[in-house]
Amino acid sequence: MIGALTIIIVGLGMAYLLMTAASGLLFERRSTDAEPPDGPEPSTVFFLVGCLNEELVIGETVENLLVDARARVVVVDDGSDDATGAIAAAIDPDRVTVLRREPPNARLGKGKALNDGFHKINELVTAEGLDPEQVLVCVMDADGHLSAGCLDAVLPLFRDPDVGGAQLIVRIRNRDSILGLVQDIEFFGLTATVQIGRISTGTVSLGGNGQFARLTALNGLDGDPWSESLTEDLDLTISMLTRGWKLTSTPDAHVTQQGLEEIRPLIKQRTRWYQGHMTCGRRLPEIWRSRALPHGAVLEVSAYLAVPWVQVLPWSILFHIGLWQTYQAIAGSGWAVVGNSLTARIIGVVLWYLLIFFPNIINGYVYFRRTRDAGILKSLALGHLMIASAYISYVACWRALYRMVTRRTGWDKTRRAQEIAGPGLFPGAEPLRPGTDGNPLPTIER
């Protein structure tokens, strides 16, 4: 019974992983020669940055965003106790708007802060006589930096009138530590490829950093765009999809952010993500009823929302049972099809390794193709760091389930670390994709 259940769980997980990853690799191969749709392109991007005590990073972030002349920045200072608002406002008063939220209306969640900023953007668009059809809104974290030439890669995506949003793939800056590298391999490796693969169904999941959306699409939603969910970005994804908008991405640009440098805060962050993801499962009936979603999109979104329930939680138990049973079978008698010799046992161990660690091998290969930071053998070895990421996911997912059962929803914000600019730290010094180089960003004086 357990063996059959294990095969089913593994089969479902591997099928979803392989289909989306293969689709992503194929898209990246073909996208080099693809022509963008022939249509009008947005001319203005309002970057919406929610902040709470972000004085260590907000200046660098705003400077990075203003490199492109099409950019405007709205910083929502959500009741900070430090100089966050003052630092942002002093950079470029003509292009930066700081919206200060005061208690008791401040610090009520990221969704509420973003919604206030969204209303401010609408006010600015009206006051300046801008065409809402030509305006994009991009949600950025306070530590988020865009790769060089990012808007040149993103804006053409919106020539397609059916595209309502686009999500950038994510890269971790402080990857000189093991934990930072684990997060970078996770985000910029297989996760990025899977996101690119979801372009084919138009169901790319929006994130909290590098999240682009048409202003008119946001205005067309029922009520405020961002919910009070722990994952307001996933809630927005579902709201836009069920109203017929396509969500896409691009391999030609990315956003960087700080990775967490300690295990406990990382588990806490992932617990919040899993709890929000699992809670969004309540919207499955809405997805199934939507006539705006093609059948393929419904199937893909349903599979994505089921990941914690169908893959992570069961696999955290079945993986170890299957691991032990497979080891016993190999150690005891080898593989029956090739006999019980030493050769058979060696073959059995190799097959066991490939079955258990195939996703890690694929992750290492994908990371090698995207970054070229290391050789193929080193990249394949680095892919095995995702074993640590898997255990973090197991712990976080079970903690999320416990919090749901006990009705706990409160969270503390993630702390930032001050960074020192240097070679390779900021995305302008990194290639956008294998074989191309971005233009360096201007040096920011301190």
Side-chain angles (χ1 to χ4, degrees):
M1 177 65 181
I2 292 180
L5 185 59
T6 300
I7 292 173
I8 292 173
I9 296 296
V10 173
L12 289 173
M14 290 300 293
Y16 179 73
L17 174 67
L18 290 176
M19 284 191 296
T20 50
S23 177
L25 291 172
L26 185 62
F27 181 90
E28 290 191 58
R29 180 182 293 270
R30 292 178 174 176
S31 65
T32 304
D33 301 321
E35 291 292 331
D38 185 16
E41 190 174 292
S43 57
T44 305
V45 179
F46 279 87
F47 289 99
L48 180 55
V49 189
C51 294
L52 174 59
N53 295 331
E54 301 284 11
E55 66 179 6
L56 295 180
V57 296
I58 189 59
E60 206 74 71
T61 295
V62 173
E63 290 275 10
N64 175 276
L65 296 175
L66 292 178
V67 166
D68 196 297
R70 293 164 289 189
R72 299 279 301 275
V73 180
V74 173
V75 173
V76 182
D77 182 0
D78 200 22
S80 297
D81 299 322
D82 62 8
T84 295
I87 292 173
I91 294 174
D92 186 343
D94 292 331
R95 298 171 64 197
V96 178
T97 300
V98 177
L99 177 62
R100 171 77 180 183
R101 284 163 54 88
E102 298 285 357
N105 296 320
R107 305 190 183 190
L108 298 178
K110 183 178 179 181
K112 287 184 177 295
L114 293 179
N115 287 328
D116 274 6
F118 165 72
H119 294 309
K120 185 63 178 180
I121 289 173
N122 271 316
E123 290 179 12
L124 293 171
V125 168
T126 300
E128 298 174 21
L130 299 175
D131 181 1
E133 295 283 350
Q134 299 300 311
V135 174
L136 295 183
V137 176
C138 177
V139 175
M140 296 286 294
D141 280 346
D143 64 335
H145 298 162
L146 299 177
S147 56
C150 175
L151 294 189
D152 292 330
V154 172
L155 296 187
L157 301 175
F158 289 88
R159 293 180 186 174
D160 182 348
D162 294 329
V163 170
Q167 175 59 46
L168 295 180
I169 57 179
V170 176
R171 180 131 220 220
I172 298 299
R173 287 196 296 273
N174 51 328
R175 51 187 181 273
D176 51 341
S177 67
I178 291 295
L179 196 57
L181 185 58
V182 166
Q183 294 167 78
D184 189 52
I185 295 171
E186 177 185 13
F187 285 125
F188 209 59
L190 200 52
T191 298
T193 302
V194 168
Q195 276 279 71
I196 297 299
R198 300 174 75 189
I199 292 175
S200 61
T201 53
T203 56
V204 174
S205 184
L206 300 177
N209 195 18
Q211 172 200 122
F212 289 82
R214 291 184 187 272
L215 179 61
T216 51
L218 297 177
N219 282 328
L221 300 176
D222 296 330
D224 290 334
W226 293 278
S227 69
E228 297 181 32
S229 167
L230 293 173
T231 48
E232 77 293 327
D233 43 14
L234 182 54
D235 251 356
L236 177 60
T237 298
I238 297 171
S239 295
M240 295 189 72
L241 288 175
T242 54
R243 283 158 181 79
W245 292 105
K246 290 197 302 187
L247 303 178
T248 189
S249 185
T250 174
D252 298 327
H254 60 267
V255 60
T256 71
Q257 63 188 45
Q258 290 184 1
L260 294 177
E261 298 181 339
E262 297 179 7
I263 290 288
R264 184 169 294 181
L266 181 58
I267 291 177
K268 186 175 182 180
Q269 178 196 67
R270 300 305 166 86
T271 300
R272 175 173 60 84
W273 290 357
Y274 271 116
Q275 186 174 352
H277 191 129
M278 295 160 77
T279 303
C280 279
R282 74 187 188 281
R283 300 190 65 181
L284 277 171
E286 179 184 348
I287 293 168
W288 296 336
R289 290 192 303 266
S290 174
R291 296 187 178 182
L293 279 171
H295 295 313
V298 171
L299 183 61
E300 197 286 321
V301 176
S302 299
Y304 178 69
L305 290 179
V307 165
W309 301 102
V310 177
Q311 294 182 37
V312 181
L313 291 175
W315 185 235
S316 67
I317 299 172
L318 295 175
F319 169 76
H320 299 91
I321 295 175
L323 188 68
W324 175 246
Q325 289 180 341
T326 305
Y327 169 78
Q328 284 186 313
I330 295 172
S333 60
W335 289 77
V337 291
V338 292
N340 194 35
S341 64
L342 177 61
T343 301
R345 296 195 179 197
I346 292 175
I347 293 174
V349 169
V350 171
L351 291 174
W352 168 83
Y353 165 77
L354 291 175
L355 286 171
I356 298 298
F357 298 104
F358 181 70
N360 304 103
I361 297 171
I362 295 298
N363 209 347
Y365 171 71
V366 169
Y367 190 69
F368 164 75
R369 289 187 74 256
R370 177 161 284 112
T371 68
R372 307 291 183 178
D373 285 351
I376 181 65
L377 293 180
K378 183 177 179 180
S379 296
L380 291 176
L382 290 175
H384 289 69
L385 289 176
M386 296 313 297
I387 299 171
S389 178
Y391 278 97
I392 290 172
S393 293
Y394 297 155
V395 173
C397 201
W398 281 105
R399 289 185 75 237
L401 181 60
Y402 172 76
R403 288 178 59 86
M404 291 174 66
V405 171
T406 56
R407 301 180 182 276
R408 298 185 182 185
T409 58
W411 290 96
D412 296 327
K413 73 177 294 295
T414 301
R415 292 185 178 182
R416 314 290 186 195
Q418 189 166 19
E419 297 174 320
I420 300 175
L425 179 62
F426 298 116
E430 301 173 353
L432 300 182
R433 63 187 300 178
T436 65
D437 294 318
N439 297 318
L441 294 173
T443 301
I444 297 173
E445 297 183 359
R446 293 182 178 275

